PDB file of all heavy atoms in Angstrom:
ATOM      1  N   LEU A 185      40.038 -64.527 -96.264  1.00 71.00           N
ATOM      2  CA  LEU A 185      39.799 -63.436 -95.322  1.00 71.00           C
ATOM      3  C   LEU A 185      40.968 -62.752 -94.860  1.00 71.00           C
ATOM      4  O   LEU A 185      40.946 -61.496 -94.576  1.00 71.00           O
ATOM      5  CB  LEU A 185      39.021 -64.199 -94.115  1.00 71.00           C
ATOM      6  CG  LEU A 185      37.584 -64.719 -94.472  1.00 71.00           C
ATOM      7  CD1 LEU A 185      36.988 -65.416 -93.325  1.00 71.00           C
ATOM      8  CD2 LEU A 185      36.674 -63.605 -94.941  1.00 71.00           C
ATOM      9  N   GLY A 186      42.035 -63.341 -94.660  1.00 80.00           N
ATOM     10  CA  GLY A 186      43.305 -62.632 -94.157  1.00 80.00           C
ATOM     11  C   GLY A 186      43.658 -61.717 -95.369  1.00 80.00           C
ATOM     12  O   GLY A 186      44.135 -60.528 -94.953  1.00 80.00           O
ATOM     13  N   CYS A 187      43.715 -62.089 -96.516  1.00 80.00           N
ATOM     14  CA  CYS A 187      44.216 -61.152 -97.573  1.00 80.00           C
ATOM     15  C   CYS A 187      43.322 -59.981 -97.707  1.00 80.00           C
ATOM     16  O   CYS A 187      43.662 -58.879 -97.952  1.00 80.00           O
ATOM     17  CB  CYS A 187      44.216 -62.000 -98.977  1.00 80.00           C
ATOM     18  SG  CYS A 187      45.732 -63.035 -98.989  1.00 80.00           S
ATOM     19  N   ILE A 188      42.012 -60.296 -97.775  1.00 71.00           N
ATOM     20  CA  ILE A 188      41.038 -59.160 -97.854  1.00 71.00           C
ATOM     21  C   ILE A 188      41.146 -58.207 -96.667  1.00 71.00           C
ATOM     22  O   ILE A 188      41.206 -57.010 -96.776  1.00 71.00           O
ATOM     23  CB  ILE A 188      39.441 -59.767 -97.808  1.00 71.00           C
ATOM     24  CG1 ILE A 188      39.321 -60.530 -99.109  1.00 71.00           C
ATOM     25  CG2 ILE A 188      38.533 -58.647 -97.797  1.00 71.00           C
ATOM     26  CD1 ILE A 188      37.985 -61.287 -99.050  1.00 71.00           C
ATOM     27  N   GLY A 189      41.220 -58.827 -95.393  1.00 73.00           N
ATOM     28  CA  GLY A 189      41.386 -57.852 -94.280  1.00 73.00           C
ATOM     29  C   GLY A 189      42.740 -57.177 -94.245  1.00 73.00           C
ATOM     30  O   GLY A 189      42.664 -55.896 -93.874  1.00 73.00           O
ATOM     31  N   THR A 190      43.874 -57.780 -94.583  1.00 82.00           N
ATOM     32  CA  THR A 190      44.995 -57.071 -94.698  1.00 82.00           C
ATOM     33  C   THR A 190      45.058 -55.947 -95.694  1.00 82.00           C
ATOM     34  O   THR A 190      45.480 -54.973 -95.480  1.00 82.00           O
ATOM     35  CB  THR A 190      46.164 -58.096 -95.034  1.00 82.00           C
ATOM     36  OG1 THR A 190      46.151 -59.102 -94.014  1.00 82.00           O
ATOM     37  CG2 THR A 190      47.604 -57.423 -95.087  1.00 82.00           C
ATOM     38  N   ASN A 191      44.530 -56.219 -96.907  1.00 76.00           N
ATOM     39  CA  ASN A 191      44.273 -55.159 -97.884  1.00 76.00           C
ATOM     40  C   ASN A 191      43.512 -54.059 -97.373  1.00 76.00           C
ATOM     41  O   ASN A 191      43.885 -52.898 -97.579  1.00 76.00           O
ATOM     42  CB  ASN A 191      43.757 -55.830 -99.103  1.00 76.00           C
ATOM     43  CG  ASN A 191      43.754 -54.718-100.390  1.00 76.00           C
ATOM     44  OD1 ASN A 191      44.767 -54.256-100.618  1.00 76.00           O
ATOM     45  ND2 ASN A 191      42.575 -54.591-100.822  1.00 76.00           N
ATOM     46  N   MET A 192      42.429 -54.206 -96.612  1.00 68.00           N
ATOM     47  CA  MET A 192      41.656 -53.215 -95.980  1.00 68.00           C
ATOM     48  C   MET A 192      42.438 -52.475 -95.049  1.00 68.00           C
ATOM     49  O   MET A 192      42.475 -51.219 -95.057  1.00 68.00           O
ATOM     50  CB  MET A 192      40.377 -53.699 -95.403  1.00 68.00           C
ATOM     51  CG  MET A 192      39.335 -54.104 -96.461  1.00 68.00           C
ATOM     52  SD  MET A 192      37.936 -54.937 -95.589  1.00 68.00           S
ATOM     53  CE  MET A 192      37.086 -53.487 -94.990  1.00 68.00           C
ATOM     54  N   LEU A 193      43.231 -53.080 -94.177  1.00 76.00           N
ATOM     55  CA  LEU A 193      44.180 -52.346 -93.235  1.00 76.00           C
ATOM     56  C   LEU A 193      45.156 -51.565 -93.881  1.00 76.00           C
ATOM     57  O   LEU A 193      45.480 -50.472 -93.527  1.00 76.00           O
ATOM     58  CB  LEU A 193      44.819 -53.387 -92.345  1.00 76.00           C
ATOM     59  CG  LEU A 193      43.983 -54.008 -91.175  1.00 76.00           C
ATOM     60  CD1 LEU A 193      44.665 -55.203 -90.501  1.00 76.00           C
ATOM     61  CD2 LEU A 193      43.539 -52.961 -90.219  1.00 76.00           C
ATOM     62  N   ARG A 194      45.716 -52.144 -94.954  1.00 81.00           N
ATOM     63  CA  ARG A 194      46.792 -51.414 -95.694  1.00 81.00           C
ATOM     64  C   ARG A 194      46.329 -50.149 -96.311  1.00 81.00           C
ATOM     65  O   ARG A 194      46.959 -49.154 -96.176  1.00 81.00           O
ATOM     66  CB  ARG A 194      47.433 -52.354 -96.808  1.00 81.00           C
ATOM     67  CG  ARG A 194      48.572 -51.730 -97.543  1.00 81.00           C
ATOM     68  CD  ARG A 194      49.156 -52.601 -98.622  1.00 81.00           C
ATOM     69  NE  ARG A 194      48.123 -53.222 -99.538  1.00 81.00           N
ATOM     70  CZ  ARG A 194      47.463 -52.533-100.611  1.00 81.00           C
ATOM     71  NH1 ARG A 194      47.723 -51.303-100.688  1.00 81.00           N
ATOM     72  NH2 ARG A 194      46.644 -53.132-101.225  1.00 81.00           N
ATOM     73  N   GLU A 195      45.213 -50.256 -96.869  1.00 73.00           N
ATOM     74  CA  GLU A 195      44.452 -49.009 -97.371  1.00 73.00           C
ATOM     75  C   GLU A 195      44.096 -48.077 -96.412  1.00 73.00           C
ATOM     76  O   GLU A 195      44.337 -46.815 -96.502  1.00 73.00           O
ATOM     77  CB  GLU A 195      43.281 -49.447 -98.189  1.00 73.00           C
ATOM     78  CG  GLU A 195      43.561 -50.179 -99.527  1.00 73.00           C
ATOM     79  CD  GLU A 195      42.239 -50.629-100.229  1.00 73.00           C
ATOM     80  OE1 GLU A 195      41.060 -50.283 -99.829  1.00 73.00           O
ATOM     81  OE2 GLU A 195      42.346 -51.332-101.147  1.00 73.00           O
ATOM     82  N   ALA A 196      43.571 -48.545 -95.235  1.00 71.00           N
ATOM     83  CA  ALA A 196      43.212 -47.578 -94.205  1.00 71.00           C
ATOM     84  C   ALA A 196      44.484 -46.915 -93.520  1.00 71.00           C
ATOM     85  O   ALA A 196      44.410 -45.730 -93.267  1.00 71.00           O
ATOM     86  CB  ALA A 196      42.399 -48.346 -93.119  1.00 71.00           C
ATOM     87  N   LEU A 197      45.513 -47.687 -93.376  1.00 79.00           N
ATOM     88  CA  LEU A 197      46.651 -47.182 -92.661  1.00 79.00           C
ATOM     89  C   LEU A 197      47.578 -46.342 -93.560  1.00 79.00           C
ATOM     90  O   LEU A 197      48.386 -45.627 -93.185  1.00 79.00           O
ATOM     91  CB  LEU A 197      47.467 -48.228 -91.926  1.00 79.00           C
ATOM     92  CG  LEU A 197      46.851 -49.043 -90.951  1.00 79.00           C
ATOM     93  CD1 LEU A 197      47.610 -50.228 -90.354  1.00 79.00           C
ATOM     94  CD2 LEU A 197      46.292 -48.066 -89.754  1.00 79.00           C
ATOM     95  N   GLY A 198      47.377 -46.509 -94.967  1.00 76.00           N
ATOM     96  CA  GLY A 198      47.976 -45.692 -95.824  1.00 76.00           C
ATOM     97  C   GLY A 198      47.675 -44.281 -95.867  1.00 76.00           C
ATOM     98  O   GLY A 198      48.435 -43.354 -96.382  1.00 76.00           O
ATOM     99  N   GLY A 199      46.462 -44.061 -95.321  1.00 59.00           N
ATOM    100  CA  GLY A 199      46.178 -42.616 -95.262  1.00 59.00           C
ATOM    101  C   GLY A 199      45.538 -41.943 -96.591  1.00 59.00           C
ATOM    102  O   GLY A 199      45.268 -40.799 -96.480  1.00 59.00           O
ATOM    103  N   ASP A 200      45.474 -42.698 -97.595  1.00 54.00           N
ATOM    104  CA  ASP A 200      45.048 -42.117 -98.895  1.00 54.00           C
ATOM    105  C   ASP A 200      43.489 -41.905 -98.851  1.00 54.00           C
ATOM    106  O   ASP A 200      42.790 -42.696 -98.410  1.00 54.00           O
ATOM    107  CB  ASP A 200      45.335 -43.069-100.051  1.00 54.00           C
ATOM    108  CG  ASP A 200      46.753 -43.277-100.313  1.00 54.00           C
ATOM    109  OD1 ASP A 200      47.529 -42.498 -99.939  1.00 54.00           O
ATOM    110  OD2 ASP A 200      47.097 -44.368-100.899  1.00 54.00           O
ATOM    111  N   VAL A 201      43.155 -40.555 -99.237  1.00 50.00           N
ATOM    112  CA  VAL A 201      41.799 -40.332 -99.166  1.00 50.00           C
ATOM    113  C   VAL A 201      41.317 -40.372-100.657  1.00 50.00           C
ATOM    114  O   VAL A 201      41.994 -39.719-101.485  1.00 50.00           O
ATOM    115  CB  VAL A 201      41.490 -38.844 -98.578  1.00 50.00           C
ATOM    116  CG1 VAL A 201      40.031 -38.523 -98.776  1.00 50.00           C
ATOM    117  CG2 VAL A 201      41.907 -39.057 -97.054  1.00 50.00           C
ATOM    118  N   ALA A 202      40.342 -41.221-101.007  1.00 51.00           N
ATOM    119  CA  ALA A 202      40.006 -41.261-102.366  1.00 51.00           C
ATOM    120  C   ALA A 202      39.434 -39.979-102.908  1.00 51.00           C
ATOM    121  O   ALA A 202      38.974 -39.059-102.141  1.00 51.00           O
ATOM    122  CB  ALA A 202      38.726 -42.293-102.423  1.00 51.00           C
ATOM    123  N   ALA A 203      39.612 -39.861-104.332  1.00 51.00           N
ATOM    124  CA  ALA A 203      39.215 -38.552-104.809  1.00 51.00           C
ATOM    125  C   ALA A 203      37.648 -38.588-104.771  1.00 51.00           C
ATOM    126  O   ALA A 203      36.895 -39.440-104.722  1.00 51.00           O
ATOM    127  CB  ALA A 203      39.572 -38.632-106.340  1.00 51.00           C
ATOM    128  N   LEU A 204      37.197 -37.275-104.310  1.00 54.00           N
ATOM    129  CA  LEU A 204      35.793 -37.054-103.960  1.00 54.00           C
ATOM    130  C   LEU A 204      35.036 -36.938-105.333  1.00 54.00           C
ATOM    131  O   LEU A 204      35.416 -36.082-106.166  1.00 54.00           O
ATOM    132  CB  LEU A 204      35.639 -35.855-103.042  1.00 54.00           C
ATOM    133  CG  LEU A 204      36.306 -35.920-101.758  1.00 54.00           C
ATOM    134  CD1 LEU A 204      36.035 -34.698-100.981  1.00 54.00           C
ATOM    135  CD2 LEU A 204      35.739 -37.197-100.982  1.00 54.00           C
ATOM    136  N   ASP A 205      33.947 -37.740-105.486  1.00 66.00           N
ATOM    137  CA  ASP A 205      33.073 -37.751-106.658  1.00 66.00           C
ATOM    138  C   ASP A 205      31.694 -37.449-106.215  1.00 66.00           C
ATOM    139  O   ASP A 205      31.106 -38.297-105.555  1.00 66.00           O
ATOM    140  CB  ASP A 205      33.333 -39.159-107.338  1.00 66.00           C
ATOM    141  CG  ASP A 205      32.480 -39.182-108.666  1.00 66.00           C
ATOM    142  OD1 ASP A 205      31.917 -38.246-109.066  1.00 66.00           O
ATOM    143  OD2 ASP A 205      32.431 -40.317-109.098  1.00 66.00           O
ATOM    144  N   ALA A 206      31.124 -36.427-106.680  1.00 73.00           N
ATOM    145  CA  ALA A 206      29.778 -36.050-106.302  1.00 73.00           C
ATOM    146  C   ALA A 206      28.733 -36.710-107.249  1.00 73.00           C
ATOM    147  O   ALA A 206      27.460 -36.366-107.090  1.00 73.00           O
ATOM    148  CB  ALA A 206      29.634 -34.522-106.469  1.00 73.00           C
ATOM    149  N   ASP A 207      29.161 -37.601-108.283  1.00 82.00           N
ATOM    150  CA  ASP A 207      28.282 -38.125-109.270  1.00 82.00           C
ATOM    151  C   ASP A 207      27.518 -39.264-108.625  1.00 82.00           C
ATOM    152  O   ASP A 207      28.022 -40.326-108.157  1.00 82.00           O
ATOM    153  CB  ASP A 207      29.044 -38.583-110.432  1.00 82.00           C
ATOM    154  CG  ASP A 207      28.188 -39.117-111.649  1.00 82.00           C
ATOM    155  OD1 ASP A 207      26.897 -39.119-111.370  1.00 82.00           O
ATOM    156  OD2 ASP A 207      28.731 -39.505-112.545  1.00 82.00           O
ATOM    157  N   PHE A 208      26.207 -39.258-108.452  1.00 87.00           N
ATOM    158  CA  PHE A 208      25.412 -40.353-107.998  1.00 87.00           C
ATOM    159  C   PHE A 208      24.580 -40.986-109.098  1.00 87.00           C
ATOM    160  O   PHE A 208      23.714 -41.824-108.938  1.00 87.00           O
ATOM    161  CB  PHE A 208      24.338 -39.853-106.866  1.00 87.00           C
ATOM    162  CG  PHE A 208      24.927 -39.556-105.605  1.00 87.00           C
ATOM    163  CD1 PHE A 208      25.674 -38.410-105.359  1.00 87.00           C
ATOM    164  CD2 PHE A 208      24.761 -40.413-104.567  1.00 87.00           C
ATOM    165  CE1 PHE A 208      26.273 -38.168-104.019  1.00 87.00           C
ATOM    166  CE2 PHE A 208      25.359 -40.343-103.288  1.00 87.00           C
ATOM    167  CZ  PHE A 208      26.080 -39.070-103.078  1.00 87.00           C
ATOM    168  N   GLY A 209      25.071 -40.799-110.412  1.00 89.00           N
ATOM    169  CA  GLY A 209      24.453 -41.322-111.522  1.00 89.00           C
ATOM    170  C   GLY A 209      24.711 -42.855-111.553  1.00 89.00           C
ATOM    171  O   GLY A 209      25.592 -43.475-110.916  1.00 89.00           O
ATOM    172  N   PRO A 210      23.869 -43.677-112.447  1.00 91.00           N
ATOM    173  CA  PRO A 210      23.995 -45.067-112.488  1.00 91.00           C
ATOM    174  C   PRO A 210      25.426 -45.539-112.910  1.00 91.00           C
ATOM    175  O   PRO A 210      25.937 -46.541-112.305  1.00 91.00           O
ATOM    176  CB  PRO A 210      23.027 -45.357-113.464  1.00 91.00           C
ATOM    177  CG  PRO A 210      21.949 -44.301-113.532  1.00 91.00           C
ATOM    178  CD  PRO A 210      22.706 -43.107-113.176  1.00 91.00           C
ATOM    179  N   LYS A 211      25.985 -44.905-113.836  1.00 88.00           N
ATOM    180  CA  LYS A 211      27.334 -45.409-114.192  1.00 88.00           C
ATOM    181  C   LYS A 211      28.342 -45.257-113.087  1.00 88.00           C
ATOM    182  O   LYS A 211      29.170 -46.303-112.869  1.00 88.00           O
ATOM    183  CB  LYS A 211      27.889 -44.656-115.446  1.00 88.00           C
ATOM    184  CG  LYS A 211      29.187 -45.002-116.053  1.00 88.00           C
ATOM    185  CD  LYS A 211      29.607 -44.299-117.314  1.00 88.00           C
ATOM    186  CE  LYS A 211      30.935 -44.652-117.812  1.00 88.00           C
ATOM    187  NZ  LYS A 211      31.394 -43.993-118.936  1.00 88.00           N
ATOM    188  N   SER A 212      28.414 -44.097-112.537  1.00 84.00           N
ATOM    189  CA  SER A 212      29.395 -43.947-111.410  1.00 84.00           C
ATOM    190  C   SER A 212      29.107 -44.805-110.193  1.00 84.00           C
ATOM    191  O   SER A 212      29.996 -45.496-109.694  1.00 84.00           O
ATOM    192  CB  SER A 212      29.276 -42.438-111.027  1.00 84.00           C
ATOM    193  OG  SER A 212      30.119 -42.310-109.825  1.00 84.00           O
ATOM    194  N   MET A 213      27.813 -44.946-109.877  1.00 91.00           N
ATOM    195  CA  MET A 213      27.473 -45.804-108.727  1.00 91.00           C
ATOM    196  C   MET A 213      27.666 -47.309-109.004  1.00 91.00           C
ATOM    197  O   MET A 213      28.179 -48.057-108.195  1.00 91.00           O
ATOM    198  CB  MET A 213      26.033 -45.737-108.304  1.00 91.00           C
ATOM    199  CG  MET A 213      25.739 -44.314-107.682  1.00 91.00           C
ATOM    200  SD  MET A 213      26.875 -43.795-106.263  1.00 91.00           S
ATOM    201  CE  MET A 213      26.197 -45.032-105.046  1.00 91.00           C
ATOM    202  N   LEU A 214      27.460 -47.743-110.389  1.00 91.00           N
ATOM    203  CA  LEU A 214      27.669 -49.120-110.718  1.00 91.00           C
ATOM    204  C   LEU A 214      29.144 -49.395-110.551  1.00 91.00           C
ATOM    205  O   LEU A 214      29.548 -50.394-109.970  1.00 91.00           O
ATOM    206  CB  LEU A 214      27.223 -49.329-112.154  1.00 91.00           C
ATOM    207  CG  LEU A 214      27.519 -50.700-112.788  1.00 91.00           C
ATOM    208  CD1 LEU A 214      26.773 -51.801-112.060  1.00 91.00           C
ATOM    209  CD2 LEU A 214      27.235 -50.822-114.191  1.00 91.00           C
ATOM    210  N   LEU A 215      30.024 -48.487-111.113  1.00 86.00           N
ATOM    211  CA  LEU A 215      31.391 -48.826-111.036  1.00 86.00           C
ATOM    212  C   LEU A 215      31.916 -48.927-109.666  1.00 86.00           C
ATOM    213  O   LEU A 215      32.751 -49.829-109.371  1.00 86.00           O
ATOM    214  CB  LEU A 215      32.174 -47.761-111.872  1.00 86.00           C
ATOM    215  CG  LEU A 215      32.019 -47.782-113.260  1.00 86.00           C
ATOM    216  CD1 LEU A 215      32.758 -46.570-114.008  1.00 86.00           C
ATOM    217  CD2 LEU A 215      32.639 -49.106-113.853  1.00 86.00           C
ATOM    218  N   LEU A 216      31.452 -47.937-108.801  1.00 84.00           N
ATOM    219  CA  LEU A 216      31.890 -48.020-107.398  1.00 84.00           C
ATOM    220  C   LEU A 216      31.391 -49.180-106.654  1.00 84.00           C
ATOM    221  O   LEU A 216      32.012 -49.846-105.765  1.00 84.00           O
ATOM    222  CB  LEU A 216      31.362 -46.762-106.718  1.00 84.00           C
ATOM    223  CG  LEU A 216      32.061 -46.208-105.458  1.00 84.00           C
ATOM    224  CD1 LEU A 216      33.578 -46.290-105.538  1.00 84.00           C
ATOM    225  CD2 LEU A 216      31.586 -44.928-105.130  1.00 84.00           C
ATOM    226  N   ALA A 217      30.087 -49.431-106.932  1.00 90.00           N
ATOM    227  CA  ALA A 217      29.445 -50.696-106.307  1.00 90.00           C
ATOM    228  C   ALA A 217      30.152 -52.001-106.516  1.00 90.00           C
ATOM    229  O   ALA A 217      30.440 -52.860-105.758  1.00 90.00           O
ATOM    230  CB  ALA A 217      28.010 -50.820-106.655  1.00 90.00           C
ATOM    231  N   VAL A 218      30.584 -52.140-107.767  1.00 88.00           N
ATOM    232  CA  VAL A 218      31.327 -53.337-108.266  1.00 88.00           C
ATOM    233  C   VAL A 218      32.759 -53.403-107.597  1.00 88.00           C
ATOM    234  O   VAL A 218      33.103 -54.341-107.099  1.00 88.00           O
ATOM    235  CB  VAL A 218      31.520 -53.456-109.778  1.00 88.00           C
ATOM    236  CG1 VAL A 218      32.530 -54.453-110.179  1.00 88.00           C
ATOM    237  CG2 VAL A 218      30.252 -53.740-110.307  1.00 88.00           C
ATOM    238  N   ALA A 219      33.377 -52.207-107.612  1.00 83.00           N
ATOM    239  CA  ALA A 219      34.697 -52.078-107.054  1.00 83.00           C
ATOM    240  C   ALA A 219      34.679 -52.375-105.512  1.00 83.00           C
ATOM    241  O   ALA A 219      35.574 -53.031-105.029  1.00 83.00           O
ATOM    242  CB  ALA A 219      35.288 -50.827-107.332  1.00 83.00           C
ATOM    243  N   THR A 220      33.684 -51.947-104.817  1.00 85.00           N
ATOM    244  CA  THR A 220      33.628 -52.199-103.364  1.00 85.00           C
ATOM    245  C   THR A 220      33.318 -53.567-102.934  1.00 85.00           C
ATOM    246  O   THR A 220      33.286 -53.986-101.917  1.00 85.00           O
ATOM    247  CB  THR A 220      32.838 -51.214-102.656  1.00 85.00           C
ATOM    248  OG1 THR A 220      31.496 -51.141-103.144  1.00 85.00           O
ATOM    249  CG2 THR A 220      33.468 -49.768-102.864  1.00 85.00           C
ATOM    250  N   SER A 221      32.713 -54.446-103.935  1.00 87.00           N
ATOM    251  CA  SER A 221      31.989 -55.665-103.723  1.00 87.00           C
ATOM    252  C   SER A 221      33.014 -56.814-104.150  1.00 87.00           C
ATOM    253  O   SER A 221      32.578 -57.975-104.120  1.00 87.00           O
ATOM    254  CB  SER A 221      30.729 -55.749-104.237  1.00 87.00           C
ATOM    255  OG  SER A 221      30.637 -55.762-105.575  1.00 87.00           O
ATOM    256  N   ILE A 222      34.020 -56.583-104.733  1.00 83.00           N
ATOM    257  CA  ILE A 222      35.028 -57.643-105.165  1.00 83.00           C
ATOM    258  C   ILE A 222      35.440 -58.505-103.917  1.00 83.00           C
ATOM    259  O   ILE A 222      35.407 -59.787-104.039  1.00 83.00           O
ATOM    260  CB  ILE A 222      36.156 -57.074-105.833  1.00 83.00           C
ATOM    261  CG1 ILE A 222      35.825 -56.324-107.077  1.00 83.00           C
ATOM    262  CG2 ILE A 222      37.313 -58.178-106.151  1.00 83.00           C
ATOM    263  CD1 ILE A 222      35.107 -57.158-108.163  1.00 83.00           C
ATOM    264  N   ASP A 223      35.621 -57.934-102.883  1.00 82.00           N
ATOM    265  CA  ASP A 223      36.005 -58.681-101.586  1.00 82.00           C
ATOM    266  C   ASP A 223      34.747 -59.644-101.241  1.00 82.00           C
ATOM    267  O   ASP A 223      35.012 -60.791-100.747  1.00 82.00           O
ATOM    268  CB  ASP A 223      36.105 -57.704-100.368  1.00 82.00           C
ATOM    269  CG  ASP A 223      37.346 -56.902-100.504  1.00 82.00           C
ATOM    270  OD1 ASP A 223      38.240 -57.178-101.580  1.00 82.00           O
ATOM    271  OD2 ASP A 223      37.635 -55.918 -99.738  1.00 82.00           O
ATOM    272  N   ALA A 224      33.550 -59.156-101.424  1.00 88.00           N
ATOM    273  CA  ALA A 224      32.494 -60.093-101.103  1.00 88.00           C
ATOM    274  C   ALA A 224      32.315 -61.199-102.173  1.00 88.00           C
ATOM    275  O   ALA A 224      31.856 -62.360-101.773  1.00 88.00           O
ATOM    276  CB  ALA A 224      31.184 -59.153-101.324  1.00 88.00           C
ATOM    277  N   LEU A 225      32.828 -61.080-103.352  1.00 88.00           N
ATOM    278  CA  LEU A 225      32.856 -62.187-104.260  1.00 88.00           C
ATOM    279  C   LEU A 225      33.802 -63.292-103.727  1.00 88.00           C
ATOM    280  O   LEU A 225      33.451 -64.489-103.607  1.00 88.00           O
ATOM    281  CB  LEU A 225      33.329 -61.665-105.617  1.00 88.00           C
ATOM    282  CG  LEU A 225      33.525 -62.852-106.673  1.00 88.00           C
ATOM    283  CD1 LEU A 225      32.183 -63.245-107.176  1.00 88.00           C
ATOM    284  CD2 LEU A 225      34.260 -62.340-107.899  1.00 88.00           C
TER     285      LEU A 225
END
């Protein structure tokens, strides 16, 4: 939990704004859903 939380804080405080992607198709959403749920694993 400390590592996950620290990583989230580091990303937030780094100020990087992710590239904006207007694609709501299954391939794009699947990749994004997996990427954002690794912490949940």
Side-chain angles (χ1 to χ4, degrees):
L185 290 173
C187 288
I188 294 167
T190 300
N191 187 49
M192 288 175 73
L193 280 172
R194 184 181 48 77
E195 288 177 7
L197 298 175
D200 295 336
V201 177
L204 300 180
D205 178 7
D207 185 5
F208 282 80
K211 183 178 178 184
S212 175
M213 293 303 292
L214 174 66
L215 292 173
L216 199 52
V218 170
T220 58
S221 64
I222 296 299
D223 294 351
L225 180 72

